[in-house]
Amino acid sequence: MSETNPAVAAEVAAPHRYTAAMAADIEARWQDFWDAEGTYAAPNPTGDLAGDAALAARPKKFVMDMFPYPSGAGLHVGHPLGYIATDVFARFQRMTGHNVLHTLGFDAFGLPAEQYAVQTGTHPRVSTEANIENMKSQLRRLGLGHDKRRSFATIDPDYYKWTQWIFVQIFNSWYDDEANQARPISELIALFESGERPVPGHTRAWGELSAAERADVLGEYRLAYASDAPVNWCPGLGTVLANEEVTADGRSERGNYPVFKAKLRQWNMRITAYADRLLDDLEALDWPEAIKLQQRNWIGRSEGARVDFPIDGERITVFTTRPDTLFGASYMVLAPEHPLVEKFTPDAWPEGTHEVWTGGHASPAEAVAAYRAQAASKSDVERQAEAKDKTGVFIGAYATNPVNGDRIPVFIADYVLMGYGTGAIMAVPAGDQRDFEFARAFELPIPCIVEPTDGRGTDTSTWEQAFSAHDAELINSSNAEISLDGLGVADAKARITQWLESKGIGEGTVNFRLRDWLFSRQRYWGEPFPIVYDEEGIAHSLPESMLPLELPEVEDYSPRTFDPDDADTQPETPLSRNEDWVEVTLDLGDGRGPRAYRRETNTMPNWAGSCWYELRYLDPHNDQKLVDPEIEQYWMGPREGQPHGGVDLYVGGAEHAVLHLLYARFWSKVLFDLGHVSSVEPFHKLFNQGMIQAYVYRDSRGIAVPAAEVEERDGAYYYQGEKVSRLLGKMGKSLKNAVTPDEICTEYGADTLRLYEMAMGPLDVSRPWDTRAVVGQFRLLQRLWRNIVDEATGELTVVDAEADEDTLRALHKAIDGVRQDLEGLRFNTAIAKVTELNNHLTKAGRALPRSVAEPLVLLVAPLAPHIAEELWRKLGHTDSVVHRDFPVADPAYVVDETVTCVVQVKGKVKARLEVSPSISDDELEKVALADDKVVAALDGAGIRKVIVRAPKLVNIVPA
């Protein structure tokens, strides 16, 4: 007698069981159906995507994920976490009466595709488009309800035409501080021409200036401008980097190469003009406080004063938050790269120069050059670190302290940065620990200008550290015209600031840590700048009729890279080697006719395309305007609860707090100021999802081994017989622990994967992946299927009968709880409630009434849409669950019929009473005191106090 395979036997006995094969069939069919029917098409109020007017008349919801980059490695199961979450939320919003815009595009410019092109010779567009198609296939398999008509990639010329167009708007704008907004540069020119606004730096009228002089003046105002400035130069990558792209240890975020400070001509965005508005507008945004705090710290607003220190007939200006301590300034420090250093550095050391100030060099020029080279190899973070040994060098010049006339030496030191204030500080060693340590190291005076409150006395030679108390009174702080002695900090600040302003040597001001955004990259694979230079080197923007300016074909995609440690190098861009593209004759329509120009050969950074993509989703085929104003107003305009407008829900990683999120806010504000959009902010509500982690297994050499091949024995882990270590970390191909969604979809189906990722824990918390646990959600779907479909015949088991009281209570409690959880993005608890309901129905062992089966399927629909569609169709419906109304709970069944009240005597439980949830305190007290068990426990004793917390607790304290 032959043995029967149990799995085969089960399949024969239950041919209509929900299996991985059945899931694959169901999911593929419904994905095809959704595509064919345009199920997820969200109608615009007007334009080519206008559609169902009744649907467009509903309240709108705009739900977005952060732009994915199409990697050649494809997705692992960690990537779709946010995409599944937004899909569940968007589906729920459709079912609760909203017109939902949910789509996904691709952020496709950037370094990875270019590096692949350099290695293989494959054009970046070819590899990127192949990666996009692979990613689209993987995402489609997850059943994501995207409006595919609205999808695009940043590398599409009809998309980056508008990226370039926005750059032109920014280039042709200036920030009017009086109006507190951006205005067209033409309006500033008109003010100069009329004489209404004086031309800074010139005594001649605007019309008397040369074209080059006028361009230089405007360059000081434009919101996009080119300048020679200190930049982060990475020879190993052959490009410059923004501050945010440099790690804390002074290396490139990509490639981990050394980064040096160098002076190069680069394009910048004047984001600093918007510092106050970027801070103020955070308040009304529904963002995590941690992200708001990061942005506040990055912008770094501080109030203080600018003070001029005379030097050689000129002046050095410093910004200080403590002008009240001016009398304690005993030396000055400039950032090593400060432009005035060379100007004030003499040929020889002044007579009597302290030996420790010279760094052992024969002349100031040698000392400065050597120290600058040393400082250039450190990142800003390293330079600001609390190092024990303070370094610096005297430049050979003295400035004058403007409040007491003291002659004070000027140093350069790496703890002062050009990126903060003016790049120069007045050093007050008695009140600042870094200044104190520097003064000790270089044997500089430490004047005491506050009365210490800790008993240390005013003899600073005995001090071991600075004293910076804000509640101390000032001493030794007076001259013939002003005295701060005896004042507290706030009063002293106000008095000295007023005096400085009256003398014309300072003024109260606000300073920001935020620096202008470096916007150039020496790469090929990025948006070309719509800028050309004439014979005089003056920059001109291309007219809209010449956009998009497309990337030319080149033979060599790589920028010139150098020895990673060679700081004395200069960029050479791939585009600069294409002379036919660079040197052109154009008529820019400015009345000057055809002229010879040279194109800009840098490209925009990979952040450019993601600064405005939410707008393109709204009106993706518009080739006449950035976005139709009516469409933008409909989806993103300000409304009650959203005073700045913006996307209703934006989900993505917290790592973009001061990069993409800050940049996108800046672009949005410029476009608002210029009248192109009605939304001041791009994203109203932000949610940061956690990370799906995975165990990394390493052998004795520390090398990662394939996680799938590791065996667990007695609490230890082995790979090919060798014991290995296990540590929770990131998931990725290089760590050999990546699990692809395709694998899970094949083994269990996409609905199971969706449920598992949403059930793993709160969405904003990182959680470890466990493939063995996925089966739990698969079994939930099998039980759901079995509650509605006969596994043997495939026929519906639902009956037309009334549901019993217990089932109705279980159903409506689940509906109420799941509705609240889905609205609050608490998907894990929503799934727990669905599981509880499904288990209740399974244990009942009876055929489901239709009045229970149908809401059950609709309850599951946002979470597991494929099986919901299939069961809905089996229940006899011909429409899709996608636009069906989400079930509404009957309040009568949500409240428990009775609740258990605990009765305590002397703190010990003596009885449990079943009472009405609405029982009053007085009623409950009477019921409790009448209970036989309570009477027996009291045993005739009197009652001192009865504490009632209806309906769940009565505590009786006997006399």
PDB file of all heavy atoms in Angstrom, residues 688-717:
ATOM      1  N   ASN A 688       7.251  59.913   9.798  1.00  0.00           N
ATOM      2  CA  ASN A 688       8.494  59.179   9.561  1.00  0.00           C
ATOM      3  C   ASN A 688       8.310  57.720   9.931  1.00  0.00           C
ATOM      4  O   ASN A 688       8.118  57.392  11.108  1.00  0.00           O
ATOM      5  CB  ASN A 688       9.641  59.761  10.401  1.00  0.00           C
ATOM      6  CG  ASN A 688       9.963  61.187  10.027  1.00  0.00           C
ATOM      7  OD1 ASN A 688      10.084  62.043  10.881  1.00  0.00           O
ATOM      8  ND2 ASN A 688      10.109  61.462   8.752  1.00  0.00           N
ATOM      9  N   GLN A 689       8.339  56.843   8.933  1.00  0.00           N
ATOM     10  CA  GLN A 689       8.224  55.422   9.246  1.00  0.00           C
ATOM     11  C   GLN A 689       9.547  54.891   9.789  1.00  0.00           C
ATOM     12  O   GLN A 689      10.610  55.456   9.508  1.00  0.00           O
ATOM     13  CB  GLN A 689       7.807  54.609   8.012  1.00  0.00           C
ATOM     14  CG  GLN A 689       8.943  54.143   7.119  1.00  0.00           C
ATOM     15  CD  GLN A 689       9.367  55.165   6.091  1.00  0.00           C
ATOM     16  OE1 GLN A 689       9.095  56.349   6.239  1.00  0.00           O
ATOM     17  NE2 GLN A 689      10.027  54.729   5.048  1.00  0.00           N
ATOM     18  N   GLY A 690       9.462  53.834  10.570  1.00  0.00           N
ATOM     19  CA  GLY A 690      10.670  53.202  11.086  1.00  0.00           C
ATOM     20  C   GLY A 690      11.352  52.374  10.005  1.00  0.00           C
ATOM     21  O   GLY A 690      10.992  52.432   8.826  1.00  0.00           O
ATOM     22  N   MET A 691      12.310  51.603  10.429  1.00  0.00           N
ATOM     23  CA  MET A 691      13.086  50.791   9.486  1.00  0.00           C
ATOM     24  C   MET A 691      12.853  49.310   9.768  1.00  0.00           C
ATOM     25  O   MET A 691      12.724  48.914  10.930  1.00  0.00           O
ATOM     26  CB  MET A 691      14.574  51.118   9.657  1.00  0.00           C
ATOM     27  CG  MET A 691      15.504  50.361   8.714  1.00  0.00           C
ATOM     28  SD  MET A 691      17.247  50.598   9.195  1.00  0.00           S
ATOM     29  CE  MET A 691      17.410  52.370   9.014  1.00  0.00           C
ATOM     30  N   ILE A 692      12.738  48.529   8.713  1.00  0.00           N
ATOM     31  CA  ILE A 692      12.726  47.083   8.897  1.00  0.00           C
ATOM     32  C   ILE A 692      14.176  46.625   8.939  1.00  0.00           C
ATOM     33  O   ILE A 692      14.937  46.825   7.990  1.00  0.00           O
ATOM     34  CB  ILE A 692      11.944  46.368   7.778  1.00  0.00           C
ATOM     35  CG1 ILE A 692      10.445  46.658   7.935  1.00  0.00           C
ATOM     36  CG2 ILE A 692      12.195  44.867   7.816  1.00  0.00           C
ATOM     37  CD1 ILE A 692       9.557  45.939   6.946  1.00  0.00           C
ATOM     38  N   GLN A 693      14.546  46.055  10.060  1.00  0.00           N
ATOM     39  CA  GLN A 693      15.920  45.611  10.249  1.00  0.00           C
ATOM     40  C   GLN A 693      16.015  44.098  10.024  1.00  0.00           C
ATOM     41  O   GLN A 693      15.004  43.411   9.895  1.00  0.00           O
ATOM     42  CB  GLN A 693      16.380  45.968  11.667  1.00  0.00           C
ATOM     43  CG  GLN A 693      16.344  47.459  11.948  1.00  0.00           C
ATOM     44  CD  GLN A 693      16.539  47.760  13.417  1.00  0.00           C
ATOM     45  OE1 GLN A 693      15.810  47.281  14.272  1.00  0.00           O
ATOM     46  NE2 GLN A 693      17.550  48.561  13.728  1.00  0.00           N
ATOM     47  N   ALA A 694      17.224  43.633   9.977  1.00  0.00           N
ATOM     48  CA  ALA A 694      17.443  42.195   9.795  1.00  0.00           C
ATOM     49  C   ALA A 694      18.708  41.803  10.540  1.00  0.00           C
ATOM     50  O   ALA A 694      19.594  42.634  10.767  1.00  0.00           O
ATOM     51  CB  ALA A 694      17.571  41.852   8.313  1.00  0.00           C
ATOM     52  N   TYR A 695      18.785  40.550  10.919  1.00  0.00           N
ATOM     53  CA  TYR A 695      19.985  40.074  11.608  1.00  0.00           C
ATOM     54  C   TYR A 695      21.128  39.899  10.607  1.00  0.00           C
ATOM     55  O   TYR A 695      20.940  39.375   9.511  1.00  0.00           O
ATOM     56  CB  TYR A 695      19.706  38.755  12.322  1.00  0.00           C
ATOM     57  CG  TYR A 695      18.862  38.947  13.557  1.00  0.00           C
ATOM     58  CD1 TYR A 695      17.535  38.522  13.600  1.00  0.00           C
ATOM     59  CD2 TYR A 695      19.384  39.572  14.683  1.00  0.00           C
ATOM     60  CE1 TYR A 695      16.764  38.712  14.726  1.00  0.00           C
ATOM     61  CE2 TYR A 695      18.619  39.773  15.817  1.00  0.00           C
ATOM     62  CZ  TYR A 695      17.310  39.344  15.833  1.00  0.00           C
ATOM     63  OH  TYR A 695      16.545  39.550  16.949  1.00  0.00           O
ATOM     64  N   VAL A 696      22.288  40.390  11.019  1.00  0.00           N
ATOM     65  CA  VAL A 696      23.511  40.232  10.229  1.00  0.00           C
ATOM     66  C   VAL A 696      24.351  39.167  10.935  1.00  0.00           C
ATOM     67  O   VAL A 696      24.616  39.261  12.133  1.00  0.00           O
ATOM     68  CB  VAL A 696      24.307  41.556  10.154  1.00  0.00           C
ATOM     69  CG1 VAL A 696      25.539  41.379   9.259  1.00  0.00           C
ATOM     70  CG2 VAL A 696      23.425  42.689   9.644  1.00  0.00           C
ATOM     71  N   TYR A 697      24.763  38.163  10.180  1.00  0.00           N
ATOM     72  CA  TYR A 697      25.586  37.073  10.732  1.00  0.00           C
ATOM     73  C   TYR A 697      27.002  37.207  10.184  1.00  0.00           C
ATOM     74  O   TYR A 697      27.188  37.340   8.969  1.00  0.00           O
ATOM     75  CB  TYR A 697      24.994  35.716  10.348  1.00  0.00           C
ATOM     76  CG  TYR A 697      23.588  35.503  10.880  1.00  0.00           C
ATOM     77  CD1 TYR A 697      22.471  35.904  10.147  1.00  0.00           C
ATOM     78  CD2 TYR A 697      23.381  34.915  12.124  1.00  0.00           C
ATOM     79  CE1 TYR A 697      21.186  35.715  10.625  1.00  0.00           C
ATOM     80  CE2 TYR A 697      22.091  34.716  12.623  1.00  0.00           C
ATOM     81  CZ  TYR A 697      21.001  35.123  11.868  1.00  0.00           C
ATOM     82  OH  TYR A 697      19.741  34.940  12.363  1.00  0.00           O
ATOM     83  N   ARG A 698      27.979  37.178  11.074  1.00  0.00           N
ATOM     84  CA  ARG A 698      29.371  37.336  10.655  1.00  0.00           C
ATOM     85  C   ARG A 698      30.217  36.188  11.179  1.00  0.00           C
ATOM     86  O   ARG A 698      30.042  35.734  12.318  1.00  0.00           O
ATOM     87  CB  ARG A 698      29.943  38.666  11.155  1.00  0.00           C
ATOM     88  CG  ARG A 698      29.222  39.882  10.584  1.00  0.00           C
ATOM     89  CD  ARG A 698      29.885  41.183  11.027  1.00  0.00           C
ATOM     90  NE  ARG A 698      29.149  42.362  10.581  1.00  0.00           N
ATOM     91  CZ  ARG A 698      29.262  42.920   9.389  1.00  0.00           C
ATOM     92  NH1 ARG A 698      30.104  42.405   8.505  1.00  0.00           N
ATOM     93  NH2 ARG A 698      28.557  43.992   9.061  1.00  0.00           N
ATOM     94  N   ASP A 699      31.190  35.773  10.334  1.00  0.00           N
ATOM     95  CA  ASP A 699      32.085  34.697  10.744  1.00  0.00           C
ATOM     96  C   ASP A 699      33.232  35.264  11.591  1.00  0.00           C
ATOM     97  O   ASP A 699      33.248  36.461  11.924  1.00  0.00           O
ATOM     98  CB  ASP A 699      32.605  33.916   9.532  1.00  0.00           C
ATOM     99  CG  ASP A 699      33.406  34.782   8.559  1.00  0.00           C
ATOM    100  OD1 ASP A 699      33.890  35.856   8.979  1.00  0.00           O
ATOM    101  OD2 ASP A 699      33.562  34.380   7.395  1.00  0.00           O
ATOM    102  N   SER A 700      34.195  34.443  11.908  1.00  0.00           N
ATOM    103  CA  SER A 700      35.281  34.850  12.807  1.00  0.00           C
ATOM    104  C   SER A 700      36.128  35.971  12.214  1.00  0.00           C
ATOM    105  O   SER A 700      36.813  36.690  12.932  1.00  0.00           O
ATOM    106  CB  SER A 700      36.171  33.644  13.133  1.00  0.00           C
ATOM    107  OG  SER A 700      36.675  33.070  11.926  1.00  0.00           O
ATOM    108  N   ARG A 701      36.077  36.140  10.898  1.00  0.00           N
ATOM    109  CA  ARG A 701      36.827  37.223  10.252  1.00  0.00           C
ATOM    110  C   ARG A 701      36.033  38.527  10.199  1.00  0.00           C
ATOM    111  O   ARG A 701      36.512  39.536   9.711  1.00  0.00           O
ATOM    112  CB  ARG A 701      37.216  36.813   8.827  1.00  0.00           C
ATOM    113  CG  ARG A 701      38.086  35.562   8.747  1.00  0.00           C
ATOM    114  CD  ARG A 701      38.138  35.054   7.311  1.00  0.00           C
ATOM    115  NE  ARG A 701      36.797  34.667   6.836  1.00  0.00           N
ATOM    116  CZ  ARG A 701      36.491  34.419   5.563  1.00  0.00           C
ATOM    117  NH1 ARG A 701      37.427  34.514   4.633  1.00  0.00           N
ATOM    118  NH2 ARG A 701      35.266  34.066   5.227  1.00  0.00           N
ATOM    119  N   GLY A 702      34.772  38.472  10.679  1.00  0.00           N
ATOM    120  CA  GLY A 702      33.920  39.654  10.635  1.00  0.00           C
ATOM    121  C   GLY A 702      33.206  39.829   9.310  1.00  0.00           C
ATOM    122  O   GLY A 702      32.605  40.871   9.061  1.00  0.00           O
ATOM    123  N   ILE A 703      33.278  38.820   8.440  1.00  0.00           N
ATOM    124  CA  ILE A 703      32.651  38.903   7.115  1.00  0.00           C
ATOM    125  C   ILE A 703      31.216  38.382   7.196  1.00  0.00           C
ATOM    126  O   ILE A 703      30.953  37.331   7.800  1.00  0.00           O
ATOM    127  CB  ILE A 703      33.464  38.098   6.081  1.00  0.00           C
ATOM    128  CG1 ILE A 703      34.846  38.753   5.915  1.00  0.00           C
ATOM    129  CG2 ILE A 703      32.728  38.002   4.751  1.00  0.00           C
ATOM    130  CD1 ILE A 703      35.802  37.971   5.045  1.00  0.00           C
ATOM    131  N   ALA A 704      30.288  39.119   6.589  1.00  0.00           N
ATOM    132  CA  ALA A 704      28.884  38.716   6.602  1.00  0.00           C
ATOM    133  C   ALA A 704      28.690  37.443   5.803  1.00  0.00           C
ATOM    134  O   ALA A 704      29.270  37.276   4.722  1.00  0.00           O
ATOM    135  CB  ALA A 704      28.019  39.839   6.026  1.00  0.00           C
ATOM    136  N   VAL A 705      27.883  36.519   6.340  1.00  0.00           N
ATOM    137  CA  VAL A 705      27.572  35.262   5.656  1.00  0.00           C
ATOM    138  C   VAL A 705      26.082  35.263   5.322  1.00  0.00           C
ATOM    139  O   VAL A 705      25.311  36.001   5.944  1.00  0.00           O
ATOM    140  CB  VAL A 705      27.948  34.040   6.525  1.00  0.00           C
ATOM    141  CG1 VAL A 705      29.432  34.058   6.873  1.00  0.00           C
ATOM    142  CG2 VAL A 705      27.107  33.985   7.796  1.00  0.00           C
ATOM    143  N   PRO A 706      25.651  34.447   4.347  1.00  0.00           N
ATOM    144  CA  PRO A 706      24.233  34.455   3.943  1.00  0.00           C
ATOM    145  C   PRO A 706      23.306  34.103   5.103  1.00  0.00           C
ATOM    146  O   PRO A 706      23.396  33.013   5.671  1.00  0.00           O
ATOM    147  CB  PRO A 706      24.177  33.400   2.832  1.00  0.00           C
ATOM    148  CG  PRO A 706      25.572  33.292   2.330  1.00  0.00           C
ATOM    149  CD  PRO A 706      26.449  33.532   3.506  1.00  0.00           C
ATOM    150  N   ALA A 707      22.433  35.031   5.463  1.00  0.00           N
ATOM    151  CA  ALA A 707      21.544  34.827   6.608  1.00  0.00           C
ATOM    152  C   ALA A 707      20.628  33.622   6.396  1.00  0.00           C
ATOM    153  O   ALA A 707      20.316  32.900   7.347  1.00  0.00           O
ATOM    154  CB  ALA A 707      20.717  36.087   6.838  1.00  0.00           C
ATOM    155  N   ALA A 708      20.216  33.400   5.140  1.00  0.00           N
ATOM    156  CA  ALA A 708      19.281  32.305   4.867  1.00  0.00           C
ATOM    157  C   ALA A 708      19.899  30.932   5.099  1.00  0.00           C
ATOM    158  O   ALA A 708      19.182  29.942   5.253  1.00  0.00           O
ATOM    159  CB  ALA A 708      18.775  32.416   3.427  1.00  0.00           C
ATOM    160  N   GLU A 709      21.229  30.867   5.136  1.00  0.00           N
ATOM    161  CA  GLU A 709      21.895  29.566   5.285  1.00  0.00           C
ATOM    162  C   GLU A 709      22.412  29.338   6.705  1.00  0.00           C
ATOM    163  O   GLU A 709      23.119  28.359   6.966  1.00  0.00           O
ATOM    164  CB  GLU A 709      23.054  29.472   4.286  1.00  0.00           C
ATOM    165  CG  GLU A 709      22.589  29.552   2.831  1.00  0.00           C
ATOM    166  CD  GLU A 709      23.759  29.585   1.844  1.00  0.00           C
ATOM    167  OE1 GLU A 709      24.794  28.967   2.161  1.00  0.00           O
ATOM    168  OE2 GLU A 709      23.626  30.233   0.797  1.00  0.00           O
ATOM    169  N   VAL A 710      22.074  30.241   7.614  1.00  0.00           N
ATOM    170  CA  VAL A 710      22.515  30.088   9.004  1.00  0.00           C
ATOM    171  C   VAL A 710      21.538  29.188   9.753  1.00  0.00           C
ATOM    172  O   VAL A 710      20.320  29.314   9.606  1.00  0.00           O
ATOM    173  CB  VAL A 710      22.620  31.471   9.688  1.00  0.00           C
ATOM    174  CG1 VAL A 710      22.884  31.325  11.183  1.00  0.00           C
ATOM    175  CG2 VAL A 710      23.725  32.299   9.034  1.00  0.00           C
ATOM    176  N   GLU A 711      22.089  28.291  10.568  1.00  0.00           N
ATOM    177  CA  GLU A 711      21.261  27.382  11.374  1.00  0.00           C
ATOM    178  C   GLU A 711      21.367  27.775  12.849  1.00  0.00           C
ATOM    179  O   GLU A 711      22.423  28.198  13.324  1.00  0.00           O
ATOM    180  CB  GLU A 711      21.740  25.932  11.212  1.00  0.00           C
ATOM    181  CG  GLU A 711      21.617  25.410   9.797  1.00  0.00           C
ATOM    182  CD  GLU A 711      22.189  24.000   9.673  1.00  0.00           C
ATOM    183  OE1 GLU A 711      22.799  23.518  10.658  1.00  0.00           O
ATOM    184  OE2 GLU A 711      22.012  23.380   8.615  1.00  0.00           O
ATOM    185  N   GLU A 712      20.245  27.626  13.563  1.00  0.00           N
ATOM    186  CA  GLU A 712      20.246  27.890  15.004  1.00  0.00           C
ATOM    187  C   GLU A 712      20.239  26.563  15.746  1.00  0.00           C
ATOM    188  O   GLU A 712      19.414  25.682  15.476  1.00  0.00           O
ATOM    189  CB  GLU A 712      19.014  28.714  15.390  1.00  0.00           C
ATOM    190  CG  GLU A 712      18.979  29.041  16.881  1.00  0.00           C
ATOM    191  CD  GLU A 712      17.761  29.850  17.280  1.00  0.00           C
ATOM    192  OE1 GLU A 712      16.956  30.200  16.396  1.00  0.00           O
ATOM    193  OE2 GLU A 712      17.619  30.113  18.488  1.00  0.00           O
ATOM    194  N   ARG A 713      21.191  26.415  16.694  1.00  0.00           N
ATOM    195  CA  ARG A 713      21.253  25.202  17.521  1.00  0.00           C
ATOM    196  C   ARG A 713      21.559  25.602  18.952  1.00  0.00           C
ATOM    197  O   ARG A 713      22.595  26.231  19.219  1.00  0.00           O
ATOM    198  CB  ARG A 713      22.327  24.229  17.017  1.00  0.00           C
ATOM    199  CG  ARG A 713      22.077  23.688  15.623  1.00  0.00           C
ATOM    200  CD  ARG A 713      22.885  22.411  15.368  1.00  0.00           C
ATOM    201  NE  ARG A 713      24.323  22.583  15.503  1.00  0.00           N
ATOM    202  CZ  ARG A 713      25.134  22.899  14.485  1.00  0.00           C
ATOM    203  NH1 ARG A 713      24.634  23.102  13.272  1.00  0.00           N
ATOM    204  NH2 ARG A 713      26.442  23.030  14.676  1.00  0.00           N
ATOM    205  N   ASP A 714      20.643  25.275  19.841  1.00  0.00           N
ATOM    206  CA  ASP A 714      20.840  25.518  21.275  1.00  0.00           C
ATOM    207  C   ASP A 714      21.196  26.985  21.570  1.00  0.00           C
ATOM    208  O   ASP A 714      22.086  27.277  22.368  1.00  0.00           O
ATOM    209  CB  ASP A 714      21.944  24.597  21.828  1.00  0.00           C
ATOM    210  CG  ASP A 714      21.616  23.129  21.622  1.00  0.00           C
ATOM    211  OD1 ASP A 714      20.425  22.784  21.733  1.00  0.00           O
ATOM    212  OD2 ASP A 714      22.546  22.347  21.337  1.00  0.00           O
ATOM    213  N   GLY A 715      20.497  27.869  20.890  1.00  0.00           N
ATOM    214  CA  GLY A 715      20.708  29.290  21.162  1.00  0.00           C
ATOM    215  C   GLY A 715      21.925  29.894  20.502  1.00  0.00           C
ATOM    216  O   GLY A 715      22.216  31.081  20.694  1.00  0.00           O
ATOM    217  N   ALA A 716      22.690  29.104  19.728  1.00  0.00           N
ATOM    218  CA  ALA A 716      23.853  29.614  18.996  1.00  0.00           C
ATOM    219  C   ALA A 716      23.570  29.498  17.497  1.00  0.00           C
ATOM    220  O   ALA A 716      22.628  28.825  17.066  1.00  0.00           O
ATOM    221  CB  ALA A 716      25.105  28.835  19.371  1.00  0.00           C
ATOM    222  N   TYR A 717      24.414  30.167  16.684  1.00  0.00           N
ATOM    223  CA  TYR A 717      24.169  30.229  15.243  1.00  0.00           C
ATOM    224  C   TYR A 717      25.387  29.708  14.486  1.00  0.00           C
ATOM    225  O   TYR A 717      26.539  30.013  14.850  1.00  0.00           O
ATOM    226  CB  TYR A 717      23.837  31.673  14.839  1.00  0.00           C
ATOM    227  CG  TYR A 717      22.644  32.185  15.605  1.00  0.00           C
ATOM    228  CD1 TYR A 717      22.811  32.877  16.805  1.00  0.00           C
ATOM    229  CD2 TYR A 717      21.354  31.927  15.166  1.00  0.00           C
ATOM    230  CE1 TYR A 717      21.719  33.306  17.536  1.00  0.00           C
ATOM    231  CE2 TYR A 717      20.249  32.351  15.886  1.00  0.00           C
ATOM    232  CZ  TYR A 717      20.433  33.038  17.078  1.00  0.00           C
ATOM    233  OH  TYR A 717      19.350  33.448  17.803  1.00  0.00           O
TER     234      TYR A 717
END
